[in-house]
Each structure stands twice: as structure tokens, then as C-alpha cells.
Amino acid sequence: MTEYDARESEQGRNDVTRGAEALFPASVILVERFHDIPDGRLPDGLFPEERRLVDRAVDRRRREFTTARICAREALRRLGRPAVPVPRGPSGAPLWPAGVLGSITHCEGYRAAAVATAGPVTGLGLDAEPNLPLADAAMLPLISLPAERRHLAEITADPATAADGAEVHWERLLFSAKESVYKAWNPMTDRRLGFADAEITFSPGDGTFRALPTVRGHGAERGFDGTWQLRAGILLTAVTVVSGAGGERP
């Protein structure tokens, strides 16, 4: 093991502990990195099936893809699974080995993968976004329902929320929460999900949110419970769907 590997391993253990306690139940393994692997290690980070997916990608995309797949490999190892390729399916979602559910996310300054054993867990969603305003304010009506926009306005106008000190960009957090919900929900339905298919409400004080489907008959009538966190300038959201329930933390 190189000095770099040892340092990353120790950092990874610390990050897994902090992140998993806040976002996921103990049955879920989370591995995260806050920077990409060194250039010299890039060719060794991917299986051939994965390398083909980014052969023509720009350097930045290749780096984030590789680092995220290395997070997935480490998460599988900690779950007691062998190192295997994690290619993409027709929808673009990662294809996990049999008996495993997982989710991968990356944004500027953050890459992560979460995995769990299928059966006790039936859905898993993880998303990361920079804690910044949406790139275009005109995006908000496209990703939200009118009730959600009223909800965000109430949160930002609440003096108790402002007193917490941390400046959360709630519209970006809403986007992230919907991404996590859809990642967890997608395996339950063959329907392509849209931003209007679930209504999100946040609990600013305890780092949780609730997602209620606005469509029926797609395996999530009871809705989803999720968690969120602002850490090191990154907004993180997560949904764990346990067997026989909506998305919730066991």
C-alpha cells in the first residue's frame, strides 16, 4: 500500500462513519472522496467494460467517472463483495452485481457510492450538489410543483431557519432530493419519472424530508422518507427503501 493509499483509506473510514451516520442506516455502506485520484492511477481504476463508457469523454468527465467507480469498488469490498465492473444500463443508471443495490453520485468536489444487500433494502438513492443557487432561476418552475415553491418560500422566510446559521440553497436541495427519490424509486417501476411525480417537504431542523408521489400505481403509494445534509459546501440527500415500506431509515 502506498502512502497515498494509506492516507485515502484512513480518510475514507472517517468519511464513511460521518456520512453513513447522518444519511443512511447501518445496513448501507457509503464511500466518498472529495478529490479525484492522481493521474497516474487513472488507467488502473476501471475495468475494460467501464473504460469503454468514457473512452471519448473529456478529461474532467473521465476523472469523475473513474473516481466514482473506485468508490463503488471500495463500497462493494466493504460489503463483502468482490471487485466487479459497474457498467451502465439502458437508462444510464449503474448496473450492480446480483444481490446488490447501489447509487453513485458526483459533483464538483465530491464523488461517492452507496451500496446495500438487496432484500432488506429494496431501493437506494444518493445525490450530491454544490450548495449554490440553481444555474438559472428559470429552472425552478421546471423542477418543482407550485406547492413546493410555496414550501421553500415559507422555509426561507422563517426566522428560526435563518437563525440556524448555515445558508442552505433550498431550491438546489430540492433538486437533489428529487434525484435521490427517483434513483431509489426507479427500480420499482418501468415508468420514466419526472420532476412533477413527487412532492417534497423538508424538515429544516432535523435534516429529513418527505416525498409523496403524485402518480399512482408505481410501487410507492406510501411515499419516501429521506435525509439531507450540508457538509463542506456540498448538499447531500439520501433515500433508503426498506422491504415492506416506503423510503425510510430502518
Side-chain angles (χ1 to χ4, degrees):
M1 176 181 288
T2 67
E3 179 182 352
Y4 173 83
D5 289 329
R7 185 169 63 250
E8 284 296 291
S9 179
E10 180 60 30
Q11 180 66 41
R13 282 194 293 273
N14 293 337
D15 289 340
V16 167
T17 300
R18 291 196 304 268
E21 286 179 349
L23 291 171
F24 289 112
S27 57
V28 178
I29 304 297
L30 172 66
V31 173
E32 52 188 2
R33 287 176 182 257
F34 294 88
H35 53 80
D36 289 325
I37 61 173
D39 293 353
R41 288 170 53 101
L42 280 174
D44 299 325
L46 297 176
F47 286 96
E49 302 95 317
E50 297 168 327
R51 191 175 297 119
R52 284 194 290 270
L53 299 175
V54 288
D55 270 346
R56 299 182 180 181
V58 298
D59 184 65
R60 178 177 176 179
R61 169 60 181 150
R62 186 168 56 92
R63 289 171 182 273
E64 67 184 18
F65 180 92
T66 301
T67 304
R69 284 311 190 273
I70 287 176
C71 288
R73 207 100 65 239
E74 174 63 13
L76 287 171
R77 185 189 70 78
R78 297 182 189 189
L79 194 65
R81 299 285 183 143
V84 295
V86 182
R88 283 198 299 250
S91 68
L95 287 178
W96 298 94
V100 173
L101 288 175
S103 187
I104 292 175
T105 189
H106 49 77
C107 71
E108 184 68 32
Y110 186 84
R111 290 77 165 95
V115 299
T117 300
V121 175
T122 59
L124 200 59
L126 171 67
D127 189 71
E129 297 288 332
N131 185 34
L132 297 170
L134 294 172
D136 185 345
M139 288 178 60
L140 183 58
L142 302 178
I143 68 165
S144 63
L145 299 166
E148 291 172 326
R149 295 193 289 277
R150 291 193 295 271
H151 174 57
L152 296 189
E154 291 170 359
I155 290 176
T156 54
D158 186 349
T161 303
D164 286 343
E167 183 182 355
V168 175
H169 289 280
W170 293 97
E171 71 283 4
R172 179 79 76 154
L173 185 64
L174 176 67
F175 177 86
S176 180
K178 292 205 170 190
E179 288 290 310
S180 286
V181 167
Y182 299 151
K183 288 178 180 181
W185 189 5
N186 186 260
M188 305 177 190
T189 176
D190 57 1
R191 180 179 182 272
R192 187 174 181 83
L193 300 167
F195 285 108
D197 290 339
E199 180 180 336
I200 306 288
T201 54
F202 293 104
S203 296
D206 65 6
T208 64
F209 65 89
R210 179 74 175 153
L212 291 176
T214 59
V215 293
R216 295 185 178 275
H218 295 284
E221 285 74 12
R222 285 179 289 183
F224 301 89
D225 293 313
T227 56
W228 67 270
Q229 179 185 88
L230 170 59
R231 180 155 50 94
I234 304 295
L235 293 167
L236 301 169
T237 59
V239 171
T240 307
V241 183
V242 298
S243 181
E248 59 186 36
R249 298 186 72 188

